[in-house]
């Protein structure tokens, strides 16, 4: 792992100390170099109860570091070191042990909402309790949405004159109510952790002593609150901080990624910082094209001997006229022509909007769903039965178990401790038997969901299990395939997923399918003609992350000739 390091990579692995930033382009070896540095530091580590905290933003990202260390050197990161997500670190060392000190709940808090579980409080469509999982508090103590999809709310956040709508105060009341009961979302946990470190600097000091070295991978995805938490640790004597990232790739689903704060740190620590700008993944042709979306003056230099001179120039195609399946067939043919074997490791078809997945898998696009507010356990029961018949028994059991708890006790959330108390009140063996029987009683997942729900309710009642299962009033017909199949792409010959799911990965060939607008509602065409770059807009960064995944072949598919012309003008001229 060490022999093939470049000179700059070597300096990061063996020489750097103190606080510094590694600012790097796609495919420049951020993960590789971070793993190599860790291997070197851990092998030479002498303190038995202080360690390095190595943090990233998703489970996939930190596992990638572990995989590299394990695969190449047989090293596993264990105590006294810590490898995981920044959120899990904050939860473990700040929020969960100390959150009760400022939440007004008098007990260890419970994390709810994504990515910890589904939240389904609220009795009707306009109930503010529904919004607990998609709102939080900013560093400036303002109530904020934590989803880009503002259509989830039944009101507008701002009045016509720009002032805050009265609904926001009602949301805050609902938040305070649930905090008092010990519930918090991940965004709340970060907010409270920041407040805790402000109020109790000793907590920050003890973390800085326990982990005298902090490494943050993908640091461009840090949110403002997370960066303030890091600043609190630094203020309380944390001496060694390595932030690794690429501001052009700041995309993070659950957070407001703030690449400007990463760049701020780069300028603050510039003298000790490092730039990695050789691309070890893609061909020079791909580097030249993708660079045009960024503000960088020069494309990175492709250095991978096996692909740097690969001759294929990225192409842009229009799927409106030809249809998505013709575009897909042409792309797979292109792979074959260039001797790229089509399998999920080599070939990826990626998209920004999930509706593209429906198009590819020939699912009709449905904007609404049949689930009634306060009755989302019905969805989990139906999905559980569906997954069980597809062979995913463990996930099916998990869903059904929690759904039954929510349905029986009319609760909006089932936490790990709720489950534990419920299981131990009956005994594990009986509980398991009960859940397995319910999974067996549920009717086969075929036909229309309305009929299925009525039948399921009847059968369960006949077996002395009384669950009131309702769907949205007057909801249309939905099949199980339509409702649940879109979440898997296992039967395909290639990898199919959103850009977010392939972040950090490498493929031989990539087809990136975009719509006219990004998910946040702005037209790519407008952004491109206004000269916007990755630095200006997260949607362009998402497109950039997608385009920088392939080693050899890149095809961009857009929905109209007009869009095609604008993309071509930006990328190919
Ligand atoms: N010094 C090196 N020796 C051998 N292979 C390397 C080296 N540096 C990087 N690589 C390889 O180059 C490819 C890209 O590296 P890596 O995934 O670490 O880049 P990255 O900067 O994290 O990429 P991105 O930010 O685009 O996800 C990987 O296949 C990695 O194994």
């Amino acid at each position: 792992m060490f022999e093939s390091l470049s000179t700059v990579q070597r300096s990061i692995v063996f020489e750097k100390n103190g606080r510094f930033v590694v600012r790097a382009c796609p495919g420049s070896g951020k993960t590789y170099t971070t793993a190599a540095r860790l291997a070197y530091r851990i092998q030479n580590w002498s303190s038995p109860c202080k360690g390095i905290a190595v943090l990233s933003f998703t489970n996939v990202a930190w596992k990638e570091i572990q995989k590299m260390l394990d695969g190449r050197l047989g090293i596993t990161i264990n105590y006294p070191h810590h490898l995981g997500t920044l959120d899990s670190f904050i939860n473990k060392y700040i929020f969960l042990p100390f959150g009760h000190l400022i939440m007004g709940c008098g007990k260890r808090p419970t994390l709810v909402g994504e990515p910890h579980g589904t939240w389904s409080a609220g009795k009707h469509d306009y109930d503010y309790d529904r919004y607990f999982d998609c709102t939080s508090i900013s560093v400036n103590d303002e109530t904020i949405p934590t989803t880009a999809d503002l259509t989830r709310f039944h009101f507008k956040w701002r009045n016509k004159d720009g002032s805050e709508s009265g609904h926001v105060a009602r949301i805050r009341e609902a938040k305070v109510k649930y905090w008092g009961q010990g519930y918090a979302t991940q965004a709340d946990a970060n907010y409270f952790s920041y407040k805790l470190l402000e109020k109790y600097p000793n907590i920050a000091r003890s973390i800085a002593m326990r982990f005298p070295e902090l490494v943050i991978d993908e640091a461009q995805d840090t949110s403002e609150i997370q960066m303030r938490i890091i600043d609190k640790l630094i203020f309380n004597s944390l001496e060694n901080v390595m932030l690794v990232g690429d501001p052009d790739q700041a995309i993070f689903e659950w957070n407001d990624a703030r690449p400007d704060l990463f760049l701020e740190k780069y300028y603050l620590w510039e003298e000790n910082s490092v730039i990695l700008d050789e691309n070890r993944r893609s061909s020079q042709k791909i580097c030249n094209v993708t660079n045009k979306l960024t503000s960088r003056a020069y494309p990175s230099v492709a250095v991978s001997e096996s692909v740097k001179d690969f001759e294929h120039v990225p192409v842009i195609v229009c799927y409106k006229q030809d249809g998505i399946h013709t575009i897909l067939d042409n792309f797979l043919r292109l792979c074959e022509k260039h001797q790229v074997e089509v399998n999920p490791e080599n070939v990826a078809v990626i998209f920004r909007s999930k509706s593209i997945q429906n198009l590819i898998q020939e699912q009709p696009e449905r904007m609404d769903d049949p689930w009634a507010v306060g009755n989302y356990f019905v969805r989990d029961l139906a999905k559980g039965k569906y997954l069980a018949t597809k062979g995913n028994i463990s996930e099916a059991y998990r869903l059904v178990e929690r759904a039954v708890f929510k349905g029986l006790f009319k609760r909006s959330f089932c936490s790990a401790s709720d489950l534990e108390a419920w299981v131990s009140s009956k005994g594990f063996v009986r509980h398991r038997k009960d859940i397995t029987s319910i999974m067996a009683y549920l009717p086969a997942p075929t036909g229309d969901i309305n009929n299925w729900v009525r039948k399921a309710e009847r059968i369960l009642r006949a077996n002395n299990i009384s669950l009131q299962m309702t769907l949205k009033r007057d909801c249309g017909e939905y099949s199980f395939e339509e409702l649940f199949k879109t979440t898997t792409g296992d039967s395909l010959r290639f990898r199919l997923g959103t850009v977010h799911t392939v972040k950090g990965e490498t493929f031989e060939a990539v087809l990136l399918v975009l719509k006219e607008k990004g998910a946040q509602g702005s037209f790519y065409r407008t952004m491109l003609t206004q000269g916007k770059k990755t630095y200006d807009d997260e949607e362009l960064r998402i497109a950039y992350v997608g385009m920088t995944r392939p080693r050899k072949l890149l095809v961009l598919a857009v929905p109209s000739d007009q869009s095609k012309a604008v993309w071509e003008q930006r990328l190919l001229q």
Side-chain angles (χ1 to χ4, degrees):
M1 182 159 211
F2 300 120
E3 304 77 60
S4 64
L5 291 168
S6 69
T7 312
V8 188
Q9 289 178 331
R10 289 185 75 79
S11 77
I12 297 168
V13 173
F14 301 119
E15 291 160 22
K16 285 279 148 199
N17 275 313
R19 296 171 193 153
F20 65 100
V21 168
V22 177
R23 185 177 166 183
C25 71
S28 56
K30 286 186 284 297
T31 314
Y32 190 96
T33 312
T34 304
R37 178 177 163 98
L38 283 173
Y40 176 69
R41 305 281 301 155
I42 287 173
Q43 280 167 344
N44 295 288
W45 195 259
S46 57
S47 180
C49 43
K50 295 178 177 189
I52 309 175
V54 189
L55 311 176
S56 195
F57 286 81
T58 60
N59 288 327
V60 175
W62 70 257
K63 282 180 187 159
E64 194 57 35
I65 297 176
Q66 180 60 71
K67 208 164 79 189
M68 256 193 206
L69 280 174
D70 196 20
R72 291 175 193 258
L73 302 168
I75 294 178
T76 314
I77 300 192
N78 284 324
Y79 185 88
H81 310 293
H82 176 103
L83 173 64
T85 61
L86 177 56
D87 282 342
S88 70
F89 182 80
I90 290 172
N91 295 342
K92 180 167 178 187
Y93 292 100
I94 309 172
F95 180 64
L96 291 174
F98 302 111
H100 64 281
L101 296 176
I102 49 173
M103 276 174 72
C105 58
K107 62 172 180 182
R108 190 178 163 91
T110 301
L111 284 158
V112 299
E114 295 300 348
H116 303 285
T118 48
W119 174 258
S120 46
K123 295 187 175 54
H124 52 85
D125 279 353
Y126 297 159
D127 194 335
Y128 296 93
D129 290 2
R130 287 179 64 201
Y131 305 130
F132 185 73
D133 67 329
C134 52
T135 50
S136 190
I137 312 297
S138 73
V139 268
N140 308 318
D141 292 314
E142 287 166 342
T143 308
I144 48 165
T146 51
T147 168
D149 177 13
L150 295 185
T151 59
R152 276 187 70 177
F153 301 97
H154 73 270
F155 58 85
K156 291 218 172 356
W157 279 74
R158 301 237 155 244
N159 298 320
K160 280 206 178 105
D161 62 3
S163 60
E164 193 174 86
S165 123
H167 296 281
V168 178
R170 307 291 302 276
I171 288 194
R172 183 73 168 233
E173 282 165 22
K175 300 264 334 168
V176 171
K177 177 179 77 181
Y178 282 113
W179 291 336
Q181 294 170 21
Y183 293 117
T185 66
Q186 186 57 57
D188 297 339
N190 290 348
Y191 167 78
F192 284 125
S193 297
Y194 168 58
K195 290 284 165 187
L196 276 163
L197 298 191
E198 200 168 52
K199 193 164 173 196
Y200 305 101
N202 275 345
I203 300 177
R205 237 165 272 142
S206 69
I207 295 172
M209 278 174 68
R210 169 71 181 81
F211 294 103
E213 193 163 331
L214 180 66
V215 176
I216 304 207
D217 183 31
E218 311 260 23
Q220 76 279 350
D221 288 340
T222 316
S223 70
E224 187 174 10
I225 281 195
Q226 288 169 331
M227 197 59 102
R228 295 252 188 138
I229 291 173
I230 296 166
D231 284 339
K232 287 276 171 222
L233 299 179
I234 292 173
F235 185 75
N236 285 284
S237 317
L238 176 62
E239 294 291 340
N240 300 293
V241 182
M242 167 176 164
L243 302 182
V244 189
D246 174 1
D248 292 319
Q249 293 189 69
I251 61 165
F252 189 60
E253 267 174 314
W254 316 111
N255 247 351
D256 219 3
R258 288 282 305 270
D260 53 317
L261 300 179
F262 170 78
L263 281 175
E264 229 172 60
K265 285 283 182 288
Y266 171 75
Y267 291 117
L268 187 67
W269 303 334
E270 195 167 3
E271 275 186 19
N272 198 28
S273 292
V274 187
I275 290 185
L276 278 181
D277 58 3
E278 287 178 340
N279 189 315
R280 288 163 196 276
R281 172 184 296 129
S282 306
S283 70
Q284 189 62 54
K285 296 267 190 318
I286 292 177
C287 295
N288 294 350
V289 164
T290 53
N291 186 64
K292 293 189 178 149
L293 265 192
T294 73
S295 325
R296 292 159 48 102
Y298 302 103
S300 48
V301 177
V303 294
S304 161
E305 281 305 326
S306 57
V307 295
K308 66 179 188 185
D309 299 321
F310 199 79
E311 78 285 9
H312 183 263
V313 180
V315 282
I316 300 168
V317 296
C318 166
Y319 61 86
K320 177 76 174 282
Q321 304 146 330
D322 300 338
I324 198 88
H325 287 101
T326 311
I327 297 293
L328 187 57
D329 288 346
N330 290 345
F331 169 67
L332 297 177
R333 240 175 269 135
L334 181 76
C335 294
E336 273 149 27
K337 182 176 152 205
H338 288 277
Q339 277 100 45
V340 171
E341 190 190 331
V342 178
N343 62 42
E345 280 73 50
N346 283 346
V347 175
V349 176
I350 55 180
F351 44 84
R352 168 67 175 120
S353 154
K354 288 223 166 98
S355 60
I356 299 287
Q357 180 168 356
N358 295 343
L359 272 183
I360 292 172
Q361 296 190 307
E362 294 177 318
Q363 304 287 339
E365 186 174 345
R366 297 285 285 247
M367 296 310 287
D368 52 351
D369 60 44
W371 318 118
V373 177
N375 266 277
Y376 291 122
F377 76 94
V378 177
R379 173 195 57 200
D380 297 346
L381 274 185
K383 187 169 180 184
K385 183 69 186 185
Y386 177 80
L387 291 180
T389 53
K390 297 280 169 205
N392 188 351
I393 303 293
S394 59
E395 179 61 10
Y397 183 90
R398 202 187 71 83
L399 276 172
V400 170
E401 180 184 49
R402 285 169 168 74
V404 172
F405 176 89
K406 288 192 249 180
L408 280 180
F409 302 110
K410 305 214 173 344
R411 295 273 294 273
S412 48
F413 186 77
C414 173
S415 69
S417 54
D418 290 335
L419 200 61
E420 209 175 291
W422 187 39
V423 175
S424 63
S425 72
K426 296 195 286 178
F428 178 72
V429 175
R430 196 179 132 213
H431 172 78
R432 198 175 166 86
K433 201 165 151 237
D434 286 351
I435 300 297
T436 322
S437 310
I438 291 173
M439 284 168 68
Y441 295 147
L442 289 171
T446 51
D448 170 37
I449 188 79
N450 283 284
N451 296 334
W452 186 87
V453 164
R454 279 197 297 275
K455 198 166 164 192
E457 202 176 29
R458 226 176 26 245
I459 297 177
L460 290 179
R461 202 175 317 115
N463 285 285
N464 297 322
I465 301 153
S466 172
L467 293 177
Q468 268 183 5
M469 297 172 64
T470 43
L471 293 172
K472 254 186 205 156
R473 217 178 301 151
D474 302 326
C475 76
E477 289 196 0
Y478 290 80
S479 73
F480 276 77
E481 296 295 307
E482 193 180 345
L483 288 167
F484 303 123
K485 191 184 166 193
T486 52
T487 51
T488 63
D490 337 332
S491 53
L492 298 166
R493 293 160 64 208
F494 47 83
R495 175 86 169 268
L496 180 66
T498 60
V499 174
H500 286 91
T501 62
V502 297
K503 191 178 183 195
E505 294 196 52
T506 302
F507 300 91
E508 298 297 301
V510 165
L511 168 63
L512 171 64
V513 188
L514 296 179
K515 297 187 26 165
E516 294 287 17
K517 294 183 196 172
Q520 285 154 29
S522 33
F523 279 90
Y524 290 108
R525 258 195 337 257
T526 317
M527 291 185 251
L528 293 170
T529 43
Q530 286 173 345
K532 287 200 171 164
K533 309 259 168 101
T534 41
Y535 187 75
D536 306 307
D537 196 287
E538 182 160 354
E539 289 300 336
L540 291 181
R541 294 198 289 273
I542 292 169
Y544 179 71
V545 169
M547 287 180 205
T548 51
R549 297 308 95 201
R551 280 162 43 84
K552 295 178 174 169
L553 302 171
L554 170 64
V555 177
L556 172 64
V558 296
S560 65
D561 282 330
Q562 215 181 348
S563 279
K564 180 170 177 269
V566 176
W567 276 104
E568 277 178 347
Q569 183 158 14
R570 169 63 79 84
L571 296 182
L572 302 183
Q573 282 176 17

